[in-house]
Amino acid sequence: MATSQDSSQDGAGAMSQTQGALRDPVLWGFLVALVLLFWTPELIIYMEWADFWIIFLTEAFIWSLFAVAFNLLMGYGGLISFGQAAYLGIGGYTAGLLLKYLVWMNFYVALVAAPVGGAIAALVIGYFCIRRTHIYFAILTLAFGHIVYLIAFKWYDFTGGDNGLIGIPVPEWIKDPTFANYYKFVLVICLVSIYLLWRIVNSPFGKTLTAIRENEVRADFVGIDVQRHKLYAFMIAGAFSGLAGALIMINERSVYPDLAHWTQSTQVLLMSLLGGVYTFFGPVVGAFLLLTMDADITQNYPEIWQLFLGGTLVLILFALPGGIVGFIQERDENAADDMAVRMAKLMAQFSRKSWYFFLGAVGFTLFFSILQAPDSWWISEDWDFELLSLITWGMLPRSILQLVVGVAIMWWLLRGIRSYQPLHRWLLLAFSVLSLFLHVYLETPLSGLLLVFLWVVYSFYCLFEADTRQAFSQGVEVTAKDVAGEAAE
Amino acid sequence: MLLRVENVTMSFDGFIATNNVSLNVEKGQMACIIGPNGAGKSTLFNLITGHLTPTEGKVYFHDQDITGQAPHTICQLGMGRSFQRTNIFPRLTVFENVQVAVLAHTRKTLNFLTPTKNMVQADTFSLLKDVGLVDQANSVSGTLSYGFQKQLELGITLASDPEILLLDEPTAGMSPQETTNSIALIERISRERGLTLLFTEHDMDVVFSVAEKITVLHQGAVLAEGTPENVKNDPDVQRIYLGEAA
């Protein structure tokens, strides 16, 4: 009866969809990121640790995909799964077993089989799990995850047990000595997948999932089939997790039961929490942050890695309960605010958050300096002190310099920002980039660098918004209007 | 007969919450259920809307047996429901709250790739206009005042384009001013859309000004039924219900 009407509506929707896609800033963002990151290996090939960096980025992107897929359940669906690593393992083993045992198996077919395997496993496991909620759901996912792990661990004839599957054949082009080919392959797959997930969370399905998270009973009473939507979300997360698992397997050319172990599930949970559960890109930031901290610390002190992780998590959950991206996006908004009040609030928040970032970066840098060179408190070990080369300064002089110079500059710049001085806005943007380069020059540990980088992105994002641009182009007029408005009331 | 409840009994481990209740609501009628606390009003609502399955008895909607069907199925058949305690999606904006309900009604929720932002915008805004929340469209609904949240809940309920509206204490916790506004809103909307109304209410002024037919529940059973006049003059009702209030 309503079919003809529906199809005509869908046709119109498809048309506006293709037009809208070109105007979608997120799509452009993904394309720019893809282009920039695609040529990274060529840019850093002459660096000392080029292959280390390329492998690091490869892993970071795979984990980002896994974390975003996981967060579809946790952040958008409110389904806290403690067994997400099961699908990582299933994806890895599906592709691995196909490639290992079937000589004629095409590499790409095996790669496509991994997400299909993940989705089918999620369909079966999810069918039981979604019938329970909250803690029972979490425990069920944990239990099923452990069953998957034990199958991989104990079934020697098929999975190789704890010896894993080794020597899985992969195409020749993956085996290049610079690791750049595989990096590019992973980059394209992960960015496309993350973009797909972005479309999914912003689609009617994603919105419905959020509604279910917010209020399951109400969702049921507006006519949403809650269980069915949950199951589909579970399958989508399972499919993309499976894909991530296959990518990890190909990276290592082997697969071990550890891939499906529950510690991997907690790892991805931490990534989401660190980055921000209620944000889409939070898990990506979390994945990068966790892996950079891992790389920083395990170099010298692998034994305290867990301790440090726990400490950071406690800190984040207390100080930034919304995670890092949640902290960046947090806005104090009131529908009744006019432009002047909104801008004043925005700038006060910008100023406050900048201080957080500054102290965080200094703190992280100092902490990692202590870890990496515990003896060089005052001067560097072999006394090749040069006034102009900051790297030869000891930790304390360097940190004090960072604090004194940084606080002075930041205070002056932020004061100008709060009174809408256009010059200060440009200076702050320049200063943020400058400080990024300074940190690179000082060879600051990765996590400190990542925080500075996030601050740069935040500054540019915040200070380039249309409203902000307008406020700064009007100079102090906004505050004048603000005062006039108050006087009128 | 639009809604027919036949001899419904619900017992929770031996405790009988509703006992052999029968109820008929005609199309276009404004029916009200009253009764002291614990009389089984909310349980009856849960039985009708599918949240609970009755131990005995049947519920018919449009002469179709809907006993024991899932709430979302019953909702899709054209029965809208609002709750005693406000029941919205608190971290979504007002617009998104209604939009999700419209999407659910038009069965577009299994679309995985189209951006939602511009979908069903006209429908959503016309609903927001009906319940007077256009100015609040972009506010996060959890931060709204109680009266606005109740209005929003009505908007969400209307999004599924129901034929019958089941309102559980629509004015609970409201100030007299909010109550007046809210009742005026509900009356206007049900008149405009030709809705059938079944509601519970504790405010007797509201009950006697709106209801065309009143059912009195007491200890899970129907005590009296009829026009407001009949119920008002019923000696049993006066003894149990009004006497208790005095």
Side-chain angles (χ1 to χ4, degrees):
Chain A
M1 166 182 84
T3 357
S4 63
Q5 199 189 345
D6 277 0
S7 62
S8 71
Q9 270 181 359
D10 284 354
M15 260 174 64
S16 62
Q17 192 186 330
T18 39
Q19 287 168 355
L22 294 176
R23 275 185 268 116
D24 180 8
V26 178
L27 178 61
W28 285 106
F30 269 94
L31 287 175
V32 169
L34 183 65
V35 170
L36 288 180
L37 289 163
F38 196 79
W39 306 110
T40 308
E42 276 75 8
L43 281 175
I44 65 168
I45 196 78
Y46 301 108
M47 278 172 57
E48 203 179 347
W49 296 95
D51 48 354
F52 166 79
W53 284 107
I54 294 170
I55 293 173
F56 172 81
L57 283 173
T58 309
E59 283 177 0
F61 279 110
I62 299 174
W63 274 92
S64 297
L65 171 61
F66 183 37
V68 172
F70 168 78
N71 199 45
L72 175 75
L73 288 182
M74 174 153 158
Y76 288 89
L79 300 163
I80 303 171
S81 155
F82 278 108
Q84 200 60 24
Y87 310 102
L88 203 65
I90 287 167
Y93 272 100
T94 305
L97 288 167
L98 285 174
L99 285 171
K100 179 93 179 166
Y101 290 128
L102 301 178
V103 186
W104 49 268
M105 178 50 71
N106 180 292
F107 172 72
Y108 300 98
V109 175
L111 195 65
V112 172
V116 174
I120 292 172
L123 173 68
V124 176
I125 295 175
Y127 179 82
F128 297 101
C129 292
I130 54 151
R131 266 142 235 282
R132 295 285 173 268
T133 49
H134 305 120
I135 188 70
Y136 304 102
F137 172 82
I139 299 295
L140 270 177
T141 56
L142 183 65
F144 276 109
H146 212 69
I147 290 172
V148 171
Y149 167 75
L150 283 177
I151 290 172
F153 190 76
K154 292 286 181 193
W155 195 357
Y156 281 89
D157 296 340
F158 188 52
T159 65
D162 55 353
N163 299 321
L165 286 177
I166 46 175
I168 291 162
V170 293
E172 283 305 314
W173 59 265
I174 285 179
K175 299 177 183 167
D176 78 313
T178 60
F179 305 101
N181 285 348
Y182 190 57
Y183 162 76
K184 289 177 179 179
F185 184 68
V186 166
L187 180 74
V188 172
I189 291 188
C190 287
L191 284 189
V192 169
S193 303
I194 293 175
Y195 180 69
L196 275 177
L197 282 162
W198 164 261
R199 291 295 289 254
I200 289 171
V201 304
N202 285 293
S203 71
F205 174 76
K207 276 279 174 291
T208 310
L209 203 59
T210 326
I212 292 171
R213 174 196 78 195
E214 287 297 298
N215 192 336
E216 217 176 300
V217 176
R218 181 77 250 189
D220 210 356
F221 279 106
V222 296
I224 295 169
D225 189 340
V226 172
Q227 307 243 316
R228 182 205 276 237
H229 284 78
K230 278 186 179 175
L231 187 61
Y232 287 165
F234 214 73
M235 285 172 70
I236 293 169
F240 283 104
S241 303
L243 181 61
L247 291 175
I248 291 177
M249 180 279 290
I250 297 162
N251 195 29
E252 295 170 0
R253 272 153 246 173
S254 55
V255 53
Y256 300 97
D258 278 354
L259 194 62
H261 198 245
W262 64 269
T263 45
Q264 307 273 23
S265 306
T266 53
Q267 183 108 332
V268 78
L269 184 80
L270 285 185
M271 286 171 176
S272 296
L273 283 173
L274 274 176
V277 183
Y278 296 122
T279 62
F280 182 79
F281 292 103
V284 177
V285 171
F288 270 81
L289 193 68
L290 208 69
L291 290 175
T292 49
M293 292 198 305
D294 190 4
D296 279 340
I297 296 181
T298 42
Q299 273 177 6
N300 297 300
Y301 290 89
E303 66 272 25
I304 67 159
W305 161 235
Q306 304 286 346
L307 181 71
F308 179 74
L309 197 63
T312 313
L313 189 71
V314 170
L315 207 68
I316 292 267
L317 287 180
F318 272 98
L320 311 171
I324 290 174
V325 178
F327 167 73
I328 290 175
Q329 287 184 350
E330 178 202 7
R331 284 278 178 87
D332 176 17
E333 261 179 12
N334 190 328
D337 288 348
D338 67 352
M339 166 87 178
V341 178
R342 225 172 51 232
M343 287 312 301
K345 275 185 181 173
L346 186 67
M347 286 303 118
Q349 272 181 346
F350 176 75
S351 166
R352 187 168 59 84
K353 289 178 183 176
S354 297
W355 283 117
Y356 263 88
F357 273 117
F358 176 69
L359 292 176
V362 172
F364 262 90
T365 313
L366 183 66
F367 184 76
F368 285 116
S369 317
I370 294 171
L371 284 183
Q372 287 181 338
D375 307 324
S376 58
W377 277 98
W378 187 240
I379 48 164
S380 60
E381 284 160 70
D382 34 11
W383 190 242
D384 49 355
F385 178 78
E386 281 177 60
L387 191 66
L388 292 176
S389 174
L390 282 178
I391 194 70
T392 63
W393 294 29
M395 271 178 272
L396 276 179
R398 200 166 67 204
S399 298
I400 291 169
L401 185 82
Q402 254 180 317
L403 274 173
V404 171
V405 176
V407 166
I409 298 176
M410 289 271 287
W411 179 76
W412 181 69
L413 284 174
L414 290 173
R415 202 184 54 149
I417 290 284
R418 279 199 305 274
S419 57
Y420 307 102
Q421 305 284 346
L423 177 68
H424 286 244
R425 173 168 163 252
W426 290 108
L427 280 177
L428 191 116
L429 291 173
F431 174 73
S432 62
V433 176
L434 200 75
S435 74
L436 185 65
F437 281 116
L438 188 75
H439 276 261
V440 173
Y441 170 72
L442 285 175
E443 294 187 11
T444 307
L446 286 176
S447 346
L449 202 62
L450 193 67
L451 283 179
V452 178
F453 176 73
L454 284 175
W455 180 56
V456 175
V457 173
Y458 172 60
S459 305
F460 273 75
Y461 171 71
C462 197
L463 293 179
F464 265 107
E465 251 183 295
D467 283 358
T468 326
R469 268 213 309 267
Q470 200 190 338
F472 277 93
S473 65
Q474 288 170 354
V476 287
E477 278 170 40
V478 173
T479 35
K481 199 180 104 196
D482 191 11
V483 174
E486 276 173 15
E489 281 174 20
Chain B
M1 204 62 70
L2 188 64
L3 179 70
R4 208 165 82 231
V5 178
E6 277 184 4
N7 307 88
V8 160
T9 299
M10 181 74 208
S11 83
F12 297 103
D13 294 329
F15 171 74
I16 295 175
T18 57
N19 187 7
N20 206 17
V21 171
S22 294
L23 182 76
N24 292 322
V25 182
E26 280 169 44
K27 195 164 171 51
Q29 204 172 37
M30 302 221 178
C32 181
I33 303 174
I34 59 172
N37 287 338
K41 291 171 291 182
S42 291
T43 307
L44 185 58
F45 266 39
N46 284 334
L47 291 169
I48 295 172
T49 52
H51 201 51
L52 295 172
T53 307
T55 327
E56 280 167 45
K58 295 275 178 202
V59 182
Y60 296 92
F61 184 55
H62 276 304
D63 294 321
Q64 182 187 345
D65 186 359
I66 57 164
T67 323
Q69 301 258 28
H72 62 89
T73 317
I74 294 177
C75 173
Q76 300 268 11
L77 291 175
M79 189 186 291
R81 180 201 177 157
S82 85
F83 292 77
Q84 191 166 353
R85 288 168 58 196
T86 31
N87 226 328
I88 53 173
F89 306 114
R91 255 176 304 193
L92 304 188
T93 65
V94 169
F95 178 79
E96 287 169 329
N97 263 275
V98 178
Q99 190 188 31
V100 163
V102 175
L103 288 170
H105 173 61
T106 49
R107 307 194 182 209
K108 292 192 172 119
T109 58
L110 287 178
N111 177 337
F112 291 89
L113 291 175
T114 317
T116 328
K117 221 174 170 186
N118 301 318
M119 285 178 86
V120 297
Q121 227 169 13
D123 291 350
T124 307
F125 268 114
S126 88
L127 280 163
L128 285 177
K129 209 168 142 193
D130 273 357
V131 295
L133 284 174
V134 175
D135 291 341
Q136 284 76 23
N138 290 320
S139 304
V140 176
S141 60
T143 64
L144 292 178
S145 70
Y146 185 72
F148 277 153
Q149 290 191 1
K150 275 281 182 191
Q151 269 163 267
L152 176 60
E153 200 184 352
L154 186 62
I156 296 172
T157 312
L158 290 175
S160 49
D161 199 14
E163 280 177 76
I164 183 166
L165 216 52
L166 275 77
L167 307 173
D168 199 353
E169 300 256 359
T171 67
M174 285 190 179
S175 69
Q177 182 61 42
E178 282 175 326
T179 304
T180 316
N181 292 344
S182 170
I183 290 301
L185 180 72
I186 292 169
E187 274 198 295
R188 177 174 62 78
I189 286 173
S190 44
R191 198 149 297 143
E192 279 172 8
R193 296 174 171 245
L195 293 178
T196 309
L197 215 58
L198 177 63
F199 65 106
T200 68
E201 182 55 66
H202 63 278
D203 187 330
M204 286 305 131
D205 292 341
V206 171
V207 172
F208 287 110
S209 72
V210 177
E212 294 164 358
K213 177 192 157 192
I214 296 175
T215 307
V216 186
L217 282 188
H218 183 56
Q219 290 177 350
V222 178
L223 185 75
E225 193 173 33
T227 62
E229 278 310 305
N230 290 349
V231 167
K232 210 182 234 174
N233 300 327
D234 189 296
D236 281 342
V237 176
Q238 281 182 351
R239 181 170 52 80
I240 285 162
Y241 198 82
L242 301 177
E244 197 177 77

